[in-house]
Amino acid sequence: MTHEEAVEVLNSMTKSESLLRHARTVELVMQAYATKLGEDENKWAIAGLLHDADYEAYPDQHPNVIVNLLRERGEEEVAHAISAHYTHWGVSYDNLLDKALIACDEITGFVVACAQVRPDRLQGLEVKSVIKKLKQKSFAASVDREEVRKGAELFRVDLAEHIGFIIQVLQQHQEELALQLQASST
């Protein structure tokens, strides 16, 4: 599957700006990890981009619709990673792609949530601030902290280093993601 085809699939099922941004942020982080680890950048990016593609249109069937579509197109490895991106689904983590997706999904969304409440957005966002917010259960309450912990553990990354990597990746794309310092309107 090409990136263009993946974008088409995403846009056919997802309309929410926040969910589209989440897909893009996870895509960017997954692609950066693939580069860092010498993995297939396109495959990892597509897994990040499409992991929640069916969530809005088919919430009761998520992730089965996107997983089946990917399997029909011969994208078994990406399909399996997406089918495993939540530990409560009981799907095995067979390779690094599977582990990376579970490690990047929740925490990337959480980093974005942290940036959105800051006047400087991603600029100057520190790892310690994100970790402090993780301890506040009322902040971004829908983020499953246990998934964040398990994901880092499965991927065998130090959580603080992982958060730092995510911040760095997102900062490189902060304008596209509308997470840059807001110009004052005077």
Side-chain angles (χ1 to χ4, degrees), residues 65-83:
V65 173
I66 189 62
V67 167
N68 291 336
L69 185 146
L70 288 164
R71 286 191 169 129
E72 288 168 9
R73 293 184 181 205
E75 297 290 343
E76 180 56 40
E77 197 173 352
V78 173
H80 182 80
I82 290 173
S83 72

Side-chain angles (χ1 to χ4, degrees), residues 1-32 34 40-56 62-63 66-67 69-70 73 75 77-79 81-83 85 97 100-102 104-105 108 170 176-177:
M1 176 177 281
T2 67
H3 183 264
E4 293 74 24
E5 291 169 330
V7 169
E8 265 183 47
V9 168
L10 177 67
N11 289 329
S12 74
M13 291 189 252
T14 306
K15 305 301 177 207
S16 158
E17 286 300 318
S18 63
L19 198 51
L20 288 168
R21 178 168 52 186
H22 175 66
R24 178 67 174 142
T25 58
V26 177
E27 172 193 13
L28 290 166
V29 171
M30 289 290 291
Q31 186 173 28
D40 183 327
E41 292 175 32
N42 187 60
K43 184 181 292 182
W44 282 47
I46 288 172
L49 185 68
L50 295 180
H51 77 283
D52 281 342
D54 60 359
Y55 184 79
E56 184 177 57
H62 174 65
I66 189 62
V67 167
L69 185 146
L70 288 164
R73 293 184 181 205
E75 297 290 343
E77 197 173 352
V78 173
I82 290 173
S83 72
H85 82 272
L97 174 60
L101 187 56
I102 188 77
C104 293
D105 179 22
T108 298
L170 297 181
E176 170 198 347
L177 300 170

Side-chain angles (χ1 to χ4, degrees), residues 152-173:
E153 185 179 289
L154 282 166
F155 196 38
R156 298 182 188 258
V157 291
D158 174 80
L159 184 58
E161 289 174 19
H162 185 44
I163 291 168
F165 182 82
I166 292 166
I167 291 169
Q168 181 182 23
V169 169
L170 297 181
Q171 283 175 337
Q172 294 169 18
H173 301 274

